[in-house]
Amino acid sequence: VYNAAPTWGVTVGDALAVPDPVVTQHQHQHQGQTFSFLGIRISSPLSLVVNGKRPPGSALAPPCLALSNPSVPP
């Protein structure tokens, strides 16, 4: 679940409803082995329904601003 707060999560046995999942097939090769699996991306924990309820606003990670200026040498 993208953008989830580090203190929020679901546990084994929770019932989840995922209204708008993005399903992607992943295939990776490493040291002669192929790994294939499905990934389900959920952009926000607030879009889920966990055990019949929407998660609280605190389930969403706070925004983080990152700035860079490639024209200035380090």
Side-chain angles (χ1 to χ4, degrees), residues 21-67:
V22 177
V23 180
T24 306
Q25 175 71 42
H26 297 272
Q27 285 191 321
H28 303 280
Q29 291 187 345
H30 179 70
Q31 296 181 350
Q33 291 186 317
T34 300
F35 301 91
S36 178
F37 58 93
L38 288 176
I40 301 173
R41 180 180 178 141
I42 302 162
S43 61
S44 169
L46 302 182
S47 66
L48 293 172
V49 177
V50 182
N51 298 324
K53 300 177 190 172
R54 294 275 183 186
S58 61
L60 189 62
C64 178
L65 178 63
L67 301 174

